[in-house]
Amino acid sequence: MKFETLDAWLHHIEGLHAQTIDLGLDRMETMLKRLDIRFKCPVFTVGGTNGKGSTCAFIESTLLAGGYSVGVHTSPHLIHFNERVRINGEDAKDEELIRQFEKVEAAREDMTLSYFEYTLLGILLLFAEKNLDAVVLEIGLGGRLDAVNTVEPSVSVITSIGIDHTAYLGTTRESIGWEKHTSIVRVSRQFAQMPILR
C-alpha cells in the first residue's frame, strides 16, 4: 500500500489500531526484529512528566555544538508532524518519512500498530539510515511500557515526575514514578568513549 502525501499516510496510520493508546512492548519488539532496526551510535532516552522536550533540546544543542550529527524524536507536535523528527536541527522532509512508512507497512503484515508505534518505527528507520553520531528519543506517556523503551539506551534521563495520565500510570506521584522508573541514568562504554563527553 502506498500513499502520495504524508497527510494521507498519517490518516491511514490513525485508523489501523482499535485503541489510540495501547501500552505494551510486544508489537514494537516484533517489528524492530522484522525491520532489523539497530543503532551503533549512543542513544539517549528522556522520560518523566515535565521538561522532557527541553531536556531533549539541551542534549541536541550540546551535541550539535560539538560537531556531532544528531537525530531527535519528540512528541506530540504543535502544527506539523515533521516537528517530531529533527536531523541536525532540521525537521524531516515529507518524502523521507513517506519512504520509511512504506517499509513499516510492508513489514507489519497483518499486525495492527498504534499511531505512536507505527510513526516511531518510521522515525527509527530514518535515523538508522542517516548513520548518525547520536540519537535522542523522548519517551511518551507510558514510561515502563512505552514503545520507546524497546530501544536500548546508552543514557537514560528522567525529568521531574508529576501527576499525569492517571488512567494508565496510577493516581499518586509514587505510582507514576514507578511506572517511569526505567528512565534511570545508564552510561554505556560506547557513550563514555565520545570525546566531547569524557
Side-chain angles (χ1 to χ4, degrees), residues 42 44 62-63 68 191-198:
F44 298 71
T62 301
L63 292 171
Y68 294 99
F191 171 70
Q193 290 172 356
M194 289 180 72
I196 193 173
L197 299 169
R198 279 192 210 158

Side-chain angles (χ1 to χ4, degrees), residues 86-124:
R86 288 194 308 279
I87 298 171
N88 296 326
E90 300 287 333
D91 292 349
K93 296 177 175 60
D94 287 10
E95 56 269 22
E96 292 179 310
L97 293 165
I98 288 170
R99 191 172 66 249
Q100 306 311 324
F101 291 160
E102 288 172 353
K103 295 175 188 175
V104 175
E105 186 67 22
R108 75 176 182 87
E109 298 170 357
D110 61 350
M111 182 185 300
T112 63
L113 299 166
S114 72
Y115 181 89
F116 188 81
E117 291 167 334
Y118 196 118
T119 57
L120 176 62
L121 286 162
I123 292 164
L124 294 175

Side-chain angles (χ1 to χ4, degrees), residues 41 69-72 87-88 126-135:
C41 67
S69 59
V70 185
V72 180
I87 298 171
N88 296 326
L126 180 59
F127 288 165
E129 180 184 277
K130 293 290 185 178
N131 196 27
L132 300 164
D133 295 322
V135 169

Side-chain angles (χ1 to χ4, degrees), residues 10 13-24 27 76 84 112-119 140-142 145-147 165 168:
L10 295 174
I13 293 166
E14 285 174 350
L16 285 177
H17 201 65
Q19 295 170 259
T20 304
I21 298 172
D22 188 9
L23 300 178
R27 293 180 304 277
R84 295 182 182 223
T112 63
L113 299 166
S114 72
Y115 181 89
F116 188 81
E117 291 167 334
Y118 196 118
T119 57
L141 75 89
L145 296 177
D146 189 88
H165 302 293
Y168 300 96

Side-chain angles (χ1 to χ4, degrees), residues 9-198:
W9 269 104
L10 295 174
H11 180 73
H12 166 68
I13 293 166
E14 285 174 350
L16 285 177
H17 201 65
Q19 295 170 259
T20 304
I21 298 172
D22 188 9
L23 300 178
L25 306 179
D26 292 345
R27 293 180 304 277
M28 276 295 293
E29 287 171 348
T30 298
M31 288 298 293
L32 287 172
K33 288 177 186 172
R34 287 184 187 179
L35 292 163
D36 193 29
I37 299 174
R38 289 175 284 177
F39 293 102
K40 295 178 181 176
C41 67
V43 175
F44 298 71
T45 58
V46 180
T49 304
N50 300 308
K52 291 185 293 184
S54 55
T55 300
C56 289
F58 175 76
I59 296 169
E60 175 189 28
S61 62
T62 301
L63 292 171
L64 289 174
Y68 294 99
S69 59
V70 185
V72 180
H73 166 259
T74 58
S75 69
H77 56 276
L78 295 177
I79 300 171
H80 302 292
F81 178 85
N82 310 58
E83 296 167 26
R84 295 182 182 223
V85 194
R86 288 194 308 279
I87 298 171
N88 296 326
E90 300 287 333
D91 292 349
K93 296 177 175 60
D94 287 10
E95 56 269 22
E96 292 179 310
L97 293 165
I98 288 170
R99 191 172 66 249
Q100 306 311 324
F101 291 160
E102 288 172 353
K103 295 175 188 175
V104 175
E105 186 67 22
R108 75 176 182 87
E109 298 170 357
D110 61 350
M111 182 185 300
T112 63
L113 299 166
S114 72
Y115 181 89
F116 188 81
E117 291 167 334
Y118 196 118
T119 57
L120 176 62
L121 286 162
I123 292 164
L124 294 175
L125 279 168
L126 180 59
F127 288 165
E129 180 184 277
K130 293 290 185 178
N131 196 27
L132 300 164
D133 295 322
V135 169
V136 183
L137 305 173
E138 179 183 341
I139 296 173
L141 75 89
R144 178 174 62 93
L145 296 177
D146 189 88
V148 171
N149 272 325
T150 55
V151 180
E152 181 66 29
S154 307
V155 174
S156 291
V157 179
I158 189 163
T159 65
S160 63
I161 299 294
I163 305 297
D164 68 332
H165 302 293
T166 55
Y168 300 96
L169 305 178
T171 57
T172 67
R173 198 178 301 271
E174 290 74 20
S175 64
I176 293 167
W178 186 86
E179 285 295 331
K180 298 188 178 193
H181 80 281
T182 55
S183 299
I184 59 173
V185 176
R186 292 190 286 176
V187 182
S188 75
R189 196 175 307 143
Q190 181 183 32
F191 171 70
Q193 290 172 356
M194 289 180 72
I196 193 173
L197 299 169
R198 279 192 210 158

